[in-house]
């Protein structure tokens, strides 16, 4: 057999091995996260619902959706176990405000360009009465054979 014939198969087997290994790592991390659940912990389900853990069973978990409203979910339906601070922030609707890291967004685009006094003199206002004849003289003239050419007579 030729080694060039075997190379694609070896490459395919290697890629498949790496893919299954990373999938197993993700499953292991999800299982560890779900095992870390205990009563009082805030969670987010895979459907996007936020709730507080009331009871952890073998394959299920009892969640308190709102005070006095309980629902039984499969452990596999838990998408994320949240920190206490993050859970409270989400439930209360408080937004994180960090003035130092917040990007500054200008009100208009004029603050994005630098203008100085010497460049302001060179600026030409097109379509306004203040447009100078110099700007029109700088426009390249077209030959008679080109489309849209002007006659200067």
């Amino acid at each position: 057999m030729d080694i060039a014939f075997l190379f694609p198969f070896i490459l395919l087997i290697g890629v498949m091995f790496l893919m299954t290994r990373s999938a197993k790592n993700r499953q292991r991390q999800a299982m560890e996260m779900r095992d870390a659940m205990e009563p009082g912990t805030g969670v987010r389900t895979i459907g996007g619902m936020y709730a507080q853990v009331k009871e952890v069973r073998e394959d299920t978990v009892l969640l308190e959706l709102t005070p006095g409203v309980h629902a039984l979910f499969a452990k596999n339906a838990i998408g994320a176990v949240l920190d206490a601070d993050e859970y409270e922030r989400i439930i209360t609707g408080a937004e994180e405000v960090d003035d130092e890291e917040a990007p500054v967004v200008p009100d208009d685009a004029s603050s994005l360009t630098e203008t100085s006094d010497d460049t302001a003199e060179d600026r030409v206002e097109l379509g306004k009465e203040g447009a100078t004849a110099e700007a029109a003289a700088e426009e390249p003239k077209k030959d008679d054979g080109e489309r849209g050419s002007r006659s200067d007579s």
Side-chain angles (χ1 to χ4, degrees):
M1 278 200 213
D2 192 11
I3 190 78
F5 179 71
L6 293 177
F7 182 71
F9 292 113
I10 294 171
L11 185 64
L12 182 64
I13 290 170
V15 169
M16 289 174 54
F17 173 75
L18 291 175
M19 288 173 52
T20 57
R21 186 172 163 208
S22 65
K24 286 181 183 179
N25 283 338
R26 282 193 305 268
Q27 287 176 347
R28 182 185 46 79
Q29 289 173 346
M31 192 179 336
E32 288 174 358
M33 177 215 34
R34 291 181 184 117
D35 288 340
M37 285 188 299
E38 49 189 46
T41 307
V43 296
R44 182 183 67 236
T45 65
I46 58 174
M49 183 169 35
Y50 293 93
Q52 191 171 26
V53 177
K54 281 311 221 183
E55 185 180 325
V56 179
R57 300 177 184 165
E58 188 174 329
D59 292 332
T60 60
V61 63
L62 184 66
L63 300 179
E64 185 175 38
L65 308 177
T66 60
V69 178
H70 297 90
L72 189 63
F73 281 82
K75 275 189 175 180
N76 292 343
I78 305 302
V81 177
L82 307 172
D83 296 331
D85 294 338
E86 183 179 4
Y87 178 73
E88 283 300 317
R89 181 184 58 80
I90 291 170
I91 295 300
T92 59
E95 294 184 18
E96 267 186 82
V97 178
D98 192 7
D99 293 335
E100 293 180 21
E101 294 181 16
V104 178
V105 180
D107 292 335
D108 59 356
S110 64
S111 63
L112 297 176
T113 58
E114 277 189 56
T115 57
S116 61
D117 294 334
D118 57 342
T119 59
E121 293 173 359
D122 296 336
R123 190 176 338 155
V124 176
E125 300 284 334
L126 298 176
K128 296 185 178 180
E129 292 180 17
T132 62
E134 294 173 4
E138 290 177 9
E139 183 179 318
K141 295 183 180 180
K142 297 180 181 179
D143 295 333
D144 290 335
E146 291 184 32
R147 290 180 63 199
S149 64
R150 298 184 290 197
S151 62
D152 290 335
S153 42

